[in-house]
Each structure stands twice: as structure tokens, then as C-alpha cells.
Amino acid sequence: MPRRPKGLLATLREAVRAWWRSRNGDDTGEPGTPDARSDDDTEGTGLRKKVSVQSPPVENPLLMAAHGDVFSFEVFPAFQWSSTEMSRETLKIRVRQHEETAREELLRVAWTAARACAADDPEAAEQAINAKLSAEGNWCYDDVQGRIRCTPSVRVRVDPAVRDHVLQYRLEELTLKETLRVGEFRAQRARELTEAWLEVIKDLELMPELDAHKRRLLVPFASAFADDDFHVAMSALRKERLTSVQALLRALEGAGGAHQRAGMYEFASMYDAALNAFRNEMGLGPASWAGDLVMTEESDL
């Protein structure tokens, strides 16, 4: 019986198989067929996919001297193990035979990197050690079950003696930072509330605007609604200014009286005019907008 002509797909399939055999010297396998074995299958031949395990965290760190050889860093190693020649479960068991050797090797490689760092800078030590391990920290071990690769990294903590020494200073630094933050917040709040109360006083007193002199007199009263400490400070400032102004007024009055007694009436008149203008400007005269208020304060001094 004559053979039926092959279809297009069958022809292509045979062509791919012929190419694969000529490339790999394989007369039996299908091209591109992956190894379907599980990680627990340890028999047979062929490539196995890479498996990895992580060593459990250690409680006792490695001690590496810091710069000056007075303090030591606490170095906690982390080992990543991998292999393409055994299953993951087998790898977990076999790495236990090499962990102590890896710790000794890590200590040898990283010692000089740690020694170059200041004892109070564990972050720099951690970066320096990991940088050196990235260049010199890929180690291979020929185990009875096959080759195992170890990739280390570390975490670094400061010497407990250094931590205890700097603790009080770091706490003080945090306190100062928080004090500054709270102080800035309170100052901003006092500023906003004082401005709001100044607007209230201006509207109640039917003032078209608040110039510098009016603000100087009204801020101590508005600050009473804003913040207690701010009010105390502004009241003290108001009293200090009033005392200084009164001293200046007495000096001007004395100078005017002296010129008048000496018969220099023109100069005396000039002093009187300047004195009245200054009183009104500072809110200290009966003709000023705040005369009654200030005159009452003067009697209390």
C-alpha cells in the first residue's frame, strides 16, 4: 500500500528534530524538553535547576575591632547557600557542615573593612563590609553531594559600651529637636491668633487701620488671647518701653524748661511742640487715640 504523503506539520517536526540531533549529538530526546523532576529527586542525570536556602539567624555575633582597637562592632552574618547539584532538602542538611567554615572566612575577609570605620558609625561599617564581601564573598564548597556556593552578607550593630555612652547625648539631641519643633509651632500659632485678635479689636474700636504705633500698644492685649507665655513677654516689653519713653519725655521737658528760664523762648516753644507731637505719636498724651489707656498705666508705675 503506498504511503500517504506527509503533512506540512509532520515535515516541519522532523526537520526540527534533525536540527536538534545535529546540534547536540542526541538521537533520542525532544528539543526544548525541560527537566520535569522535582527538587526532591536526587537520582538520574541531566541539569537541575538552582535551589537556594538561607542559614537561620545567629544569636552570637562576630566581634570585629573598630578603628583604634578599643571598641568592637557586633557583626551578624547572613549566608545564602545555593546549588544546582542537589535538592533543596538535601542542601538544607549539607550546609550545616560548612557554616562554621563560612563564619571564619567572613571574619578573615571583613576584618580590615571593619577596622577602618569609627566605632560610633555602624552604618558605615556595614556598608564597607558588604562592599568587600560583594567582591570577595562568593565561596564554593565541594560537598559529598555536589558543589555548594555561599554568598554572605552582614548586619552590624554598635558596641554596647558605645551605645551606653552616647545614649544620653542622643536623648538630649532628640529633646532639643522636639523642643524646637514645638516652639516653632507655638510661635506660629501665637502669631496667627494675635493677628486674629488684633482684627477683632480694630473692628470693635472702629479703627480704619492699625499703624505701627497702634499695633505696638494693642499687641500686648491681643497676645493675652493667644498664648500665656507670649502675653507675659509682650507685657514685660510694653512696660520696658513705657519706662524708656517716660525717661525720654522727662529729659525733653527738662530741656524745654531750662531754655524757657534762660529766656530762650523760641527754643522752648520748639521743644514744647516736639514734645507734644512725640506724646501723641507714642499714645502718651491726652489728645492721642490711646491717651486714657496709657495715662492709667502711667499711674500704676
Side-chain angles (χ1 to χ4, degrees):
M1 181 177 181
R3 297 179 61 183
R4 188 171 56 182
K6 297 181 180 180
L8 178 59
L9 292 178
T11 303
L12 289 174
R13 189 181 301 111
E14 288 190 1
V16 171
R17 287 176 178 173
W19 171 81
W20 184 260
R21 288 194 295 268
S22 65
R23 182 176 181 274
N24 299 281
D26 183 10
D27 294 334
T28 58
E30 289 286 342
T33 303
D35 187 359
R37 295 174 301 170
S38 67
D39 289 341
D40 295 331
D41 182 13
T42 57
E43 297 179 356
T45 60
L47 294 177
R48 181 186 299 274
K49 68 178 182 180
K50 180 179 178 180
V51 295
S52 301
V53 297
Q54 183 85 24
S55 291
V58 296
E59 296 183 0
N60 298 322
L62 296 171
L63 299 181
M64 297 188 187
H67 181 69
D69 286 345
V70 176
F71 302 102
S72 298
F73 294 112
E74 292 184 335
V75 179
F76 294 84
F79 298 113
Q80 182 79 20
W81 306 87
S82 62
S83 178
T84 58
E85 302 181 22
M86 62 189 74
S87 67
R88 182 176 286 105
E89 292 302 320
T90 301
L91 182 60
K92 286 181 180 179
I93 297 173
R94 298 308 305 169
V95 296
R96 299 170 188 168
Q97 314 298 320
H98 307 286
E99 286 178 347
E100 187 60 32
T101 303
R103 286 170 63 90
E104 294 174 357
E105 184 68 12
L106 187 148
L107 186 63
R108 182 191 65 81
V109 172
W111 181 268
T112 55
R115 205 174 210 170
C117 299
D120 62 343
D121 196 354
E123 182 178 357
E126 184 172 296
Q127 294 175 354
I129 293 174
N130 283 324
K132 190 161 188 179
L133 290 176
S134 65
E136 304 179 28
N138 285 298
W139 309 317
C140 291
Y141 300 92
D142 291 322
D143 189 79
V144 293
Q145 295 289 341
R147 173 163 291 192
I148 300 175
R149 181 179 294 276
C150 175
T151 303
S153 60
V154 299
R155 294 181 296 107
V156 177
R157 288 197 316 199
V158 72
D159 192 310
V162 176
R163 184 185 301 110
D164 293 339
H165 177 71
V166 302
L167 178 60
Q168 58 178 330
Y169 303 106
R170 295 298 174 86
L171 290 176
E172 183 178 357
E173 179 183 1
L174 290 176
T175 300
L176 292 175
K177 287 182 179 179
E178 286 303 303
T179 302
L180 174 62
R181 184 184 65 82
V182 174
E184 290 176 343
F185 175 77
R186 287 186 60 185
Q188 180 63 25
R189 177 178 176 275
R191 181 184 299 108
E192 293 173 354
L193 288 177
T194 300
E195 292 295 332
W197 281 110
L198 282 175
E199 287 295 318
V200 172
I201 295 173
K202 184 190 72 154
D203 294 340
L204 292 177
E205 294 292 327
L206 301 178
M207 298 178 184
E209 62 178 357
L210 292 178
D211 57 21
H213 307 297
K214 294 177 182 178
R215 288 179 63 87
R216 181 167 55 248
L217 289 169
L218 291 179
V219 163
F221 299 96
S223 65
F225 301 100
D227 183 87
D228 292 339
D229 294 338
F230 181 54
H231 173 57
V232 171
M234 293 305 299
S235 297
L237 177 61
R238 179 190 57 178
K239 292 180 179 180
E240 181 68 24
R241 283 176 173 172
L242 187 58
T243 301
S244 300
V245 169
Q246 289 294 336
L248 179 59
L249 288 175
R250 285 192 292 269
L252 291 174
E253 288 173 347
H259 281 80
Q260 188 171 6
R261 287 190 298 271
M264 303 175 69
Y265 301 109
E266 184 177 352
F267 287 98
S269 298
M270 292 175 58
Y271 272 111
D272 287 340
L275 184 59
N276 291 330
F278 182 66
R279 282 180 177 274
N280 292 331
E281 182 179 353
M282 298 302 297
L284 298 176
S288 66
W289 70 274
D292 295 338
L293 171 65
V294 178
M295 294 301 293
T296 301
E297 291 180 353
E298 290 181 14
S299 64
D300 295 337
L301 290 178

